[in-house]
Amino acid sequence: MYRWGGCSKLAELTYIGTSPPRPDGPAKASGLSQYADDVAVAGLWFGETVRSPVAHGRLRSVGWRRAAPPGAVLVTAADLPGPNGVQLIDDGWPILAEGTVEHVGQAVALVAAPSRRAAVLAAAEVEVDIEELPPVFDLSEARRQPSLYELELGLGDPEAVLDQAETVVEGEYRTGHQEHIYIECQGMTARWHPSGPRVEVSGSMQCPYYVHKSMVHAFGLPEEAVRVRADAIGGGFGGKEDYPSLIAIHAALLARAVERPVRIVYDRQQDIIGTTKRHPATMRYRSAVDAEGRLLALDVLVELDGGAFTTLSKVVLSRALLHAAGPYRCPEVRVRGRVLRTHTAPNGAFRGFGAPQVAFGIERHMDAIGRRLGIDPLTLRQRNALVPGDRLPTGQIVDESTSALACLESVARRTDFVTRWTEYQAAQTETNGTPQRGLGLSLYFHGAGFTGNGERRMNSPASARLTPEGRIAVLSAMTDMGQGAVIVFRQIAGEAAGVTFDDLEFPEPDTNEVPNSGPTVASRTTMIVGQLVARAVREVSAQVADWWGEQQPAASPYTVKDGRVVGQDGRSTPFAAVARSYLEVHDALEVTVRHQPAPGPVFDETTYQGPAYPTYAWGADIAEVEVDPDTLAVRPLRMAVAAEVGRAIHPRLCIGQIEGGTLQAVGWGLLEEIKLDQGRYLNDRLATYIIPTAMDAPDLDVELLEAAFPDGPFGAKGIGELPMDGGAPAVVAAIENATGLVVDEIPATPERLFAAQMRERSDD
Amino acid sequence: MAERCGSLLEACRRLATEPGLRPILGGTDLMVASPHERARQGRWLDLSCFDEMRGIAERGGSVWIGAATTFTALQADASIRRHFPALVAAASEVGGWQIQNRATLGGNVANASPAGDSLPVLAVLEAVVVLGSAAGDRLVERRVPYAGFHVGYRATALAPGEVILGFELPLPGPGLEQRFQKVGTRQAQAISKVVVALAGRCAGGRVQTLRLAAGSVAATPVRLRQAESAAVGLELAAAAEAAGSAARQETTPIDDVRSTAAYRSAVLGRVVRRLVLSLTPDSE
């Protein structure tokens, strides 16, 4: 269920703000969509991955245990045609282990065989000889080794204030791994054409041009010799940002070796063992506050477990540090961070990208301040929340759409927060065997689009062109992994061009067909690329209307509305008919536009000062939980969520994103835990890696707030990741309100609550 | 794909003589294996087609439940609902609806996981396990008390070629109350971290009869006999405390992927206490 709230009155539009059905909905609901493993390919072989069974060691040899199984082909690092690295930010992530193995599950070799079963059996015939070396798992040990990356930012001199302050609050907060659990596991099919040379890969991916770049790098091919296409995508959550590059290279290596199409599709166990996860984080917060709880100074140290290879960790740390002070005003701030190296699978992109970790840190820390000073969570946040014109630790002045207070007001009003929070707190000691209830609050913000100068550097294009049928084809590399770009882009294009959905075409993401409009990540698709789409189609539509005006000057100027070209006399002609006439006298009409950063200050990547993000989306959650006093099982009963999204293009999908992200955050906060023993996964299947079911989901009451962002399409901000930030701190705060148990580490499993209860009792 | 054969007799013969052939009913424990595990699992023999393993019926002083009875069927059966509410409660918490539609009581017992949800219930209901095997051209039956069925971690009294035909559950005497509580990893589709069943009766505010059993706290599902004897004869509140603490004394749960030994031990004690305390003080 959802309702609307407005921060500002926005104009009524034709498509924007409505919720039309998504065009791929019936195929997805009926099972007809073709996912990576569904696409029929003649003569297809199957690939399997041979993985390291140990966390760290010297790779002595890899080869067939006995004779090669008939028909099976083995590929190792010795067979690589180019550099042994997956090109992301750098190419330090090996395609196949060479010299050493650095984590359990690292790909050591690949086999291909004519059937899936033959490939599984052949992979078991590969012998990997490894001399084990001492691994590093523990962060305290990892601290003694060189970091993968370090970064620092800040404002003023917090140390001086902390030294003088009357009240200093300190805390350490920890978050764990999280596995994406997209419904569809990773999968890729490669075709190699020996004459050419030319390679094609298709499969499940968020970013066709990331895969393209890494293929060009690995095979040393010219850009035009590599073609990458995205199939229907069964969820991504960031897990199909980095990893598809690796599995695409793997499939292509096998296709090249066997000279046939080869498909690699992971089962869930392979997927959990092999792929990237959310970075675990340890965060130390030290703050000085005045008697009313206002932040005077903040010193934060964020340590991320990067796993064995850097992959995307640098930008994850960067986003983490930029969000570490939370949506709060603080005059003196220092935030330091480092990515530590351990012998575990590399951690990578996951919805929120470092921000959910620090949102847990700062929100738990705000609760620690409130606990110390006896101030309720709402009042404390209202006193500290950013308002338009305030300064972030980067010096960025936050814009007019800064909606932290409006979000707090929305959730507090719907839950009668302070009264009921106070009552629950008073009832903590009444343990007569009945469930205890509690409320918890979180406030959060999320920088939309790429961090720093990413968008400026990429200068992404999107194009629109007239088709022979008189439609507008919209060309971008954006994928739909379920989030709804497929309908949101139609709404944006229809609104901007004045045409109907029937006047629009959206070719599938294919690097042969669409320009490199950047990756489908970082909450940038609607806000950044959506704006490019709007500009490109508006230009095409206007050129067609202007040309028509030249042909029919009496009723000029013409406008395009509801799919018709309308003159001043009120008479109109279908857009498609006018467009076809246009093409009778012109060869083509194609417009490419590129991202234009807003004028004003530019982010300085050496000092970390300036606008790190063009704008921020805002949110607040209030969770109500029930805790069984015997088993300490936690049931999240309901959550009130407020999200300020700029403008909701498609309110139903926008709500869906917020509901799904909130539940994913609640799962991370309460249930989801990767358990490792000597770097081996103890829970590499869905029976033991516990995510919430429908029965575990709270009732979600989402209110959308709108405060238009002038540089987004029709005012929209990026919101895909925002809802991942608030759920975990809210449920953990609610557990504290119910039971008095202070838990600063997630997941807050019953076992962890029990340990806290035992510690508290021994302290008594 | 599972193989089939024409009669239960033939099935027992094949299971006795063909190594690597495994019996399968609902398949919910076997089919979730990864392709790599499946490649090692060998072949399956489907037993779901045999009448000898079906049905629920009152026979004299007990109720017969065929091994192939699904958890959905258990929940729906009037006789089970009337006599064995703890079994209905356990059946409704196994997996989710899809699992309950396929998974069988016989499969749950033969799989012999210490976390099996229905097993402590069969223990407190003092079920008899009816086994069948081929002797020449005859199918012969053997009756094993449930208390003697689980002989070690995932080990049972089943001999090679022997299958579970069903269970005989003695009708509970008047006033015998039953309780069940599962502590899982989440609200549904969960495997137990601790599971407890109780059958008992009070008179005059004191515990008169008490049978307790638990799962996931030892290598097999276990009767908590020390907890039972510690509680019998005491007033309800004292009995609950005594049973809870004795249950902890007589079990040594382990740390595993689902929970910790410390949590399991403490929660076992608390759940036993809660269930005993929930008995009606005077059940006349």
Side-chain angles (χ1 to χ4, degrees):
Chain A
M1 115 148 208
Y2 67 94
R3 59 170 78 85
W4 288 85
C7 293
S8 54
K9 183 75 185 146
L10 302 180
E12 295 263 328
L13 295 168
T14 306
Y15 298 117
I16 304 300
T18 69
S19 298
R22 45 188 304 161
D24 59 348
K28 282 191 167 154
S30 62
L32 291 174
S33 285
Q34 296 276 296
Y35 294 94
D37 202 18
D38 299 326
V39 181
V41 175
L44 183 66
W45 279 35
F46 293 86
E48 278 287 323
T49 310
V50 178
R51 300 178 182 281
S52 172
V54 301
H56 189 205
R58 195 165 289 117
L59 182 58
R60 285 207 199 95
S61 68
V62 48
W64 295 114
R65 195 183 311 278
R66 296 176 282 265
V73 170
L74 177 69
V75 167
T76 69
D79 303 309
L80 295 175
N84 188 3
V86 181
Q87 180 66 43
L88 296 164
I89 294 169
D90 58 32
D91 73 345
W93 187 18
I95 296 166
L96 290 168
E98 190 171 5
T100 61
V101 292
E102 304 288 338
H103 65 89
V104 170
Q106 185 181 353
V108 175
L110 305 163
V111 295
S115 75
R116 214 180 289 257
R117 186 177 155 80
V120 169
L121 295 174
E125 288 300 305
V126 177
E127 188 165 62
V128 180
D129 182 13
I130 298 170
E131 175 194 344
E132 286 200 54
L133 296 170
V136 174
F137 302 121
D138 189 47
L139 286 194
S140 61
E141 206 184 327
R143 271 177 211 122
R144 293 197 288 271
Q145 318 273 337
S147 301
L148 289 171
Y149 191 57
E150 298 192 2
L151 199 59
E152 179 172 341
L153 64 93
L155 198 64
D157 184 4
E159 208 50 49
V161 180
L162 283 157
D163 283 347
Q164 305 289 319
E166 218 159 280
T167 308
V168 173
V169 179
E170 293 185 49
E172 182 172 303
Y173 314 100
R174 283 195 291 267
T175 62
H177 279 110
Q178 186 177 25
E179 172 56 43
H180 304 84
I181 314 289
Y182 24 67
I183 296 176
E184 180 204 22
C185 293
Q186 302 270 353
M188 204 70 73
T189 303
R191 295 168 186 79
W192 193 276
H193 308 293
S195 59
R198 185 185 169 80
V199 60
E200 282 179 62
V201 294
S202 60
S204 196
M205 68 187 83
Q206 294 176 219
C207 315
Y209 274 97
Y210 275 8
V211 174
H212 186 266
K213 182 170 81 170
S214 67
M215 294 276 294
V216 165
H217 182 74
F219 290 95
L221 289 170
E223 290 188 2
E224 60 276 13
V226 176
R227 179 182 187 184
V228 180
R229 288 178 298 125
D231 294 320
I233 305 160
F237 309 115
K240 291 172 184 169
E241 174 174 354
D242 40 25
Y243 203 84
S245 293
L246 180 69
I247 188 172
I249 295 169
H250 284 173
L253 283 168
L254 289 173
R256 177 172 163 269
V258 303
E259 297 181 347
R260 290 169 205 279
V262 173
R263 173 171 296 165
I264 301 179
V265 173
Y266 290 170
D267 64 26
R268 185 63 68 182
Q269 199 175 7
Q270 297 274 308
D271 200 287
I272 292 180
I273 291 171
T275 69
T276 55
K277 292 163 187 51
R278 184 184 301 288
H279 292 72
T282 299
M283 297 156 285
R284 282 197 283 281
Y285 277 75
R286 206 153 58 93
S287 63
V289 290
D290 69 14
E292 277 76 48
R294 286 186 189 85
L295 289 167
L296 302 174
L298 189 60
D299 183 29
V300 187
L301 174 64
V302 178
E303 290 178 327
L304 300 179
D305 178 348
F309 305 109
T310 307
T311 65
L312 301 170
S313 289
K314 291 177 180 176
V315 270
V316 174
L317 183 70
S318 169
R319 187 176 276 273
L321 298 199
L322 288 162
H323 288 77
Y328 303 112
R329 184 168 46 247
C330 185
E332 322 273 341
V333 184
R334 179 173 71 154
V335 185
R336 290 169 299 150
R338 49 183 174 239
V339 183
L340 301 172
R341 185 166 191 268
T342 61
H343 288 105
T344 58
N347 296 308
F350 196 140
R351 192 181 203 168
F353 214 69
Q357 290 92 321
V358 294
F360 182 76
I362 184 69
E363 288 306 281
R364 281 276 75 197
H365 192 69
M366 293 303 279
D367 286 338
I369 293 169
R371 202 185 297 130
R372 169 82 75 87
L373 298 175
I375 301 171
D376 73 77
L378 178 65
T379 304
L380 183 72
R381 283 167 177 79
Q382 284 170 330
R383 284 177 188 160
N384 285 289
L386 291 165
V387 298
D390 276 338
R391 213 162 44 146
L392 294 171
T394 52
Q396 180 178 10
I397 306 295
V398 291
D399 64 28
E400 283 305 309
S401 73
T402 296
S403 306
L405 287 174
C407 289
L408 284 174
E409 191 280 327
S410 163
V411 290
R413 164 174 45 78
R414 285 179 280 151
T415 53
D416 191 14
F417 178 75
V418 176
T419 307
R420 293 175 60 227
W421 183 86
T422 308
E423 285 169 10
Y424 285 148
Q425 198 182 32
Q428 274 171 12
T429 47
E430 295 166 25
T431 49
N432 56 358
T434 54
Q436 296 173 290
R437 286 197 176 184
L439 289 172
L441 171 65
S442 66
L443 178 67
Y444 48 96
F445 69 150
H446 201 94
F450 260 123
T451 298
N453 297 325
E455 297 295 351
R456 193 178 291 270
R457 221 175 357 256
M458 284 195 307
N459 191 22
S460 303
S463 306
R465 72 161 169 256
L466 286 185
T467 70
E469 297 76 26
R471 287 198 278 265
I472 303 175
V474 180
L475 308 171
S476 84
M478 310 324 284
T479 54
D480 193 308
M481 62 198 100
Q483 85 279 34
V486 70
I487 181 67
V488 164
F489 273 16
R490 278 172 170 75
Q491 292 174 272
I492 289 171
E495 194 77 53
V499 299
T500 69
F501 292 172
D502 289 340
D503 297 315
L504 295 166
E505 277 181 20
F506 288 79
E508 295 299 314
D510 175 341
T511 55
N512 271 19
E513 301 293 331
V514 299
N516 181 3
S517 42
T520 309
V521 304
S523 308
R524 68 184 290 276
T525 303
T526 299
M527 185 176 96
I528 303 287
V529 186
Q531 181 74 329
L532 298 178
V533 166
R535 284 170 46 210
V537 298
R538 197 177 279 133
E539 181 63 29
V540 166
S541 164
Q543 286 195 26
V544 169
D546 288 351
W547 173 79
W548 191 242
E550 288 162 18
Q551 316 309 309
Q552 323 272 335
S556 187
Y558 282 78
T559 54
V560 184
K561 195 170 183 328
D562 299 333
R564 302 183 75 83
V565 184
V566 188
Q568 293 300 306
D569 55 3
R571 284 198 283 190
S572 67
T573 313
F575 177 83
V578 178
R580 284 194 299 269
S581 307
Y582 178 97
L583 288 176
E584 281 167 17
V585 293
H586 298 83
D587 288 342
L589 174 54
E590 175 160 345
V591 173
T592 296
V593 298
R594 287 181 176 273
H595 178 66
Q596 291 173 338
V602 175
F603 186 68
D604 184 327
E605 292 184 338
T606 50
T607 62
Y608 263 66
Q609 291 293 302
Y613 301 96
T615 191
Y616 298 82
W618 304 83
D621 291 355
I622 288 177
E624 182 165 8
V625 303
E626 191 171 85
V627 184
D628 183 312
D630 288 332
T631 66
L632 301 172
V634 177
R635 287 190 77 152
L637 298 174
R638 57 188 71 87
M639 286 178 81
V641 181
E644 191 276 287
V645 301
R647 176 150 206 172
I649 305 284
H650 188 299
R652 184 57 252 171
L653 279 171
C654 187
I655 294 283
Q657 282 279 55
I658 290 162
E659 290 176 335
T662 302
L663 183 58
Q664 200 165 30
V666 168
W668 181 53
L670 293 179
L671 300 172
E672 297 183 40
E673 185 169 26
I674 290 283
K675 298 179 182 179
L676 292 164
D677 176 32
Q678 289 301 299
R680 288 180 187 84
Y681 295 96
L682 299 177
N683 52 342
D684 54 7
R685 55 188 67 203
L686 289 179
T688 45
Y689 182 80
I690 302 298
I691 62 168
T693 67
M695 297 282 289
D696 300 280
D699 289 337
L700 288 159
D701 179 19
V702 177
E703 185 164 86
L704 295 180
L705 307 181
E706 295 187 323
F709 166 56
D711 295 324
F714 304 98
K717 296 176 176 179
I719 57 100
E721 296 166 285
L722 174 77
M724 190 70 222
D725 294 339
V731 290
V732 170
I735 292 169
E736 178 178 342
N737 186 226
T739 63
L741 295 173
V742 178
V743 174
D744 288 331
E745 182 174 7
I746 52 172
T749 56
E751 285 74 11
R752 201 160 266 146
L753 297 176
F754 174 72
Q757 192 177 53
M758 290 302 104
R759 277 196 302 275
E760 192 173 87
R761 287 185 184 173
S762 67
D763 291 346
D764 285 349
Chain B
M1 281 290 280
E3 297 169 36
R4 285 194 164 191
C5 57
S7 73
L8 182 56
L9 183 66
E10 189 193 336
C12 290
R13 276 205 203 109
R14 288 190 57 189
L15 288 168
T17 54
E18 295 177 36
L21 190 63
R22 296 186 68 173
I24 181 171
L25 277 173
T28 55
D29 281 306
L30 297 179
M31 290 184 183
V32 292
S34 73
H36 299 81
E37 292 166 324
R38 286 278 289 276
R40 290 196 299 268
Q41 263 182 355
R43 295 171 302 134
W44 292 336
L45 185 64
D46 182 11
L47 303 183
S48 66
C49 44
F50 302 123
D51 287 343
E52 295 92 327
M53 297 170 65
R54 291 171 174 282
I56 298 171
E58 286 194 41
R59 291 179 184 166
S62 65
V63 175
W64 160 260
I65 304 174
T69 306
T70 66
F71 289 107
T72 298
L74 282 176
Q75 292 171 66
D77 185 84
S79 172
I80 302 294
R81 296 177 72 87
R82 177 160 163 241
H83 297 301
F84 307 115
L87 191 56
V88 174
S92 70
E93 291 201 37
V94 174
W97 290 350
Q98 297 92 332
I99 298 288
Q100 290 163 23
N101 284 338
R102 284 201 65 86
T104 63
L105 188 61
N108 202 214
V109 171
N111 188 56
S113 159
D117 291 325
S118 68
L119 313 190
V121 179
L122 296 176
V124 298
L125 296 176
E126 302 199 313
V128 172
V129 191
V130 183
L131 310 177
S133 58
D137 57 359
R138 259 178 355 105
L139 188 77
V140 294
E141 291 188 1
R142 178 163 82 98
R143 283 174 163 65
V144 178
Y146 193 75
F149 183 77
H150 296 285
V151 298
Y153 177 69
R154 295 222 159 200
T156 69
L158 280 167
E162 202 169 34
V163 301
I164 301 174
L165 300 179
F167 306 88
E168 287 169 355
L169 272 58
L171 289 173
L176 190 77
E177 294 183 289
Q178 298 168 33
R179 301 286 184 268
F180 174 81
Q181 187 172 350
K182 169 174 175 171
V183 182
T185 48
R186 61 184 161 204
Q187 296 295 328
Q189 296 283 22
I191 298 173
S192 290
K193 299 193 287 193
V194 172
V195 53
V196 182
L198 172 154
R201 178 184 5 222
C202 293
R206 289 177 186 275
V207 173
Q208 194 182 50
T209 309
L210 185 64
R211 299 199 291 267
L212 282 163
S216 284
V217 294
T220 65
V222 286
R223 271 288 285 273
L224 301 170
R225 296 195 188 267
Q226 289 174 29
E228 294 170 2
S229 57
V232 168
L234 299 183
E235 288 197 359
L236 205 46
E241 289 298 329
S245 103
R248 296 186 62 179
Q249 297 287 324
E250 67 184 298
T251 50
T252 50
I254 58 166
D255 287 333
D256 70 7
V257 68
R258 274 182 288 280
S259 191
T260 63
Y263 175 85
R264 285 186 159 118
S265 176
V267 168
L268 171 67
R270 292 173 184 185
V271 170
V272 164
R273 183 182 62 195
R274 172 187 284 185
L275 295 187
V276 173
L277 209 48
S278 74
L279 287 170
T280 311
D282 215 324
S283 63
E284 287 317 306

